[in-house]
Amino acid sequence: MSVAQGRGELILFNRIRIISWLLAFCLWLSSGAYAASMLIVLSDDSAAYQETATAIEQELGSSHKATRVLADRLASGAIDLSDVRLVLGIGVKATETASARTGKIPLLAVLVPRDWYQKTGRSLLAEGGRNAGAIVLDQPYQRQLRLIKETLPRARKVGVIISQGNAPQLAEIEQAARAYGLSLGSSVINSDDMLVEAMEKVLSDADLLLAVPDPIVINRNTVQSLFITSYRYRDPVIGFSKSLSRAGALAALFSTPSQIGQQAGEIAERAVSGARLSSMYWPKYFSITLNTHVARSLDLDIPTEFSLLQALQEGGASD
């Protein structure tokens, strides 16, 4: 065999070896072995957090590897983070733990209150220039005021009661109300024992009460008084959870854990592909529930849940 022939065979052998290696690597990629790794941190093992995590995993499918862990276990330092490309913290405790334990790994907070995010979470998530964002539980006021306009088209004035700490949100609510031809009547309180007096002042001149997720205004000690007083004035309440609708709100606008989880999975998919996280996301998917017993007792003829949901989805009231 000549030297030239030997060299030719060596080159051919090397080419075959490289092609074989590339084919094996492609098969390895398609099998999911190179799937991006994500860590889903749950504040605890309650049903709402588990439901959110399941929705995230279903949205991601088999394209990425997602591992669930409780916040307490992450806090113990027992979790290997070397492969993790994105952390999703479900709930405030999970987000705070992940923020302290996962360094510069991109972090998405899920199922957290807007109030916590604005007062604490925003600065916590941004520490060290981390790529981070949050999906809040609260609905945008524009969407809530659109629900009011669709449910109660004859309404002209919306009543709102809010605590001193959340009073800056009144400007937002008023702006959203004006967009739908509604005016705002409001009262600011410092403690829940001021609620009934504030309601009497507001509802004497309003057509309905927009309940906001403010723990000083609405809690287990005040909710009964809130509905008794509103019913006395024959003013319906628009709420922010299914439980408020059951308790006596005419309508409620909210996002379920599964809906938030679906949105989180969509954002996570983009984030591990290189997209930067936005600082805050409003819920993309949402539900509406009506209390027909309340509607009948107040002699109100209201649309169906389906037609209201369709109107809000088509209207694009999302910020």
Side-chain angles (χ1 to χ4, degrees), residues 13-27:
F13 174 76
N14 286 335
R15 284 179 179 173
I16 293 172
R17 186 170 62 176
I18 291 169
I19 291 170
S20 299
W21 181 85
L22 287 172
L23 286 171
F25 182 67
C26 289
L27 287 171

Side-chain angles (χ1 to χ4, degrees), residues 160-174:
V160 172
I161 300 169
I162 204 163
S163 69
Q164 187 67 50
N166 290 321
Q169 294 181 28
L170 284 175
E172 254 183 89
I173 302 172
E174 187 170 16

Side-chain angles (χ1 to χ4, degrees), residues 117-276:
Y117 173 76
Q118 292 184 323
K119 294 177 181 176
T120 305
R122 191 195 330 250
S123 58
L124 183 71
L125 290 167
E127 283 179 357
R130 180 195 292 116
N131 178 17
I135 307 174
V136 298
L137 273 166
D138 310 53
Q139 301 295 316
Y141 286 123
Q142 183 184 359
R143 189 180 289 163
Q144 295 178 64
L145 269 295
R146 176 67 184 270
L147 173 63
I148 289 171
K149 194 65 177 176
E150 295 288 343
T151 309
L152 303 164
R154 295 183 181 179
R156 293 293 175 263
K157 191 166 188 176
V158 178
V160 172
I161 300 169
I162 204 163
S163 69
Q164 187 67 50
N166 290 321
Q169 294 181 28
L170 284 175
E172 254 183 89
I173 302 172
E174 187 170 16
Q175 182 180 7
R178 282 201 307 267
Y180 292 105
L182 297 163
S183 62
L184 185 68
S186 62
S187 182
V188 178
I189 64 175
N190 295 315
S191 62
D192 59 15
D193 57 12
M194 301 170 63
L195 177 63
V196 173
E197 182 182 351
M199 285 192 65
E200 290 176 344
K201 173 188 171 184
V202 169
L203 294 180
S204 63
D205 192 37
D207 299 309
L208 68 132
L209 181 73
L210 173 62
V212 297
D214 188 318
I216 291 179
V217 177
I218 298 180
N219 56 58
R220 65 179 64 184
N221 298 320
T222 64
V223 69
Q224 186 175 8
S225 296
L226 182 142
F227 287 118
I228 290 173
T229 307
S230 67
Y231 190 78
R232 181 155 51 88
Y233 280 89
R234 307 288 291 174
D235 284 346
V237 176
I238 303 298
F240 53 83
S241 69
K242 185 178 283 189
S243 60
L244 277 182
S245 177
R246 292 196 192 105
L250 173 67
L253 175 65
F254 58 94
S255 295
T256 66
S258 288
Q259 288 172 327
I260 297 285
Q262 180 183 352
Q263 182 181 1
E266 293 171 353
I267 294 170
E269 181 79 39
R270 296 193 297 270
V272 295
S273 298
R276 188 158 185 86

